[in-house]
């Protein structure tokens, strides 16, 4: 018999904790927070940080769009060069 199987047993077997047979999601997943802000931050700092994150998301989105456009342009250039 495989040694790892003897050491760890069945990996799909629930050994402890509360079973989730009644709920499809655990209560931890239902209460999951999407962000974290320390309680010692001032409201002004929280707003500034929130604005920074929003701008960062927009910049990342713009960068991804620019990269896609660049890739398309490169592919067009390769096609045009191959035609000549």
């Amino acid at each position: 018999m495989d040694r790892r199987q003897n050491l760890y047993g069945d990996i799909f077997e629930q050994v402890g904790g509360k079973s989730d047979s009644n709920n499809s999601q655990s209560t931890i997943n239902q209460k999951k927070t999407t962000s974290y802000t320390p309680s010692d931050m001032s409201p002004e700092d929280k707003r500034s940080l929130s604005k920074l994150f929003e701008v960062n998301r927009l910049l990342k989105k713009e960068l991804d769009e620019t990269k896609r456009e660049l890739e398309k342009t490169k592919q067009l250039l390769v096609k045009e060069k191959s035609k000549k």
Side-chain angles (χ1 to χ4, degrees):
M1 205 182 250
D2 192 357
R3 181 175 176 202
R4 284 178 276 165
Q5 187 177 15
N6 288 337
L7 289 175
Y8 302 111
D10 186 9
I11 61 170
F12 299 108
E13 175 185 15
Q14 182 175 355
V15 178
K18 186 177 179 181
S19 70
D20 264 349
S21 60
N22 294 339
N23 297 335
S24 61
Q25 291 183 341
S26 68
T27 55
I28 294 172
N29 288 340
Q30 292 172 353
K31 296 180 182 179
K32 185 176 179 181
T33 58
T34 57
S35 63
Y36 168 75
T37 38
S39 60
D40 62 345
M41 288 181 71
S42 69
E44 184 179 319
D45 288 343
K46 288 181 184 180
R47 279 191 300 275
S48 298
L49 194 58
S50 177
K51 287 180 182 179
L52 175 70
F53 287 150
E54 182 180 355
V55 169
N56 191 27
R57 281 192 303 271
L58 291 173
L59 285 172
K60 283 183 180 181
K61 185 177 179 180
E62 186 177 327
L63 178 63
D64 290 341
E65 289 174 5
T66 306
K67 284 181 178 179
R68 279 193 301 271
E69 288 178 17
L70 178 63
E71 188 62 35
K72 286 179 183 178
T73 306
K74 284 181 178 180
Q75 288 175 357
L76 285 172
L77 278 172
V78 168
K79 282 183 179 180
E80 289 299 318
K81 285 184 178 180
S82 66
K83 285 182 180 179
K84 291 181 180 181

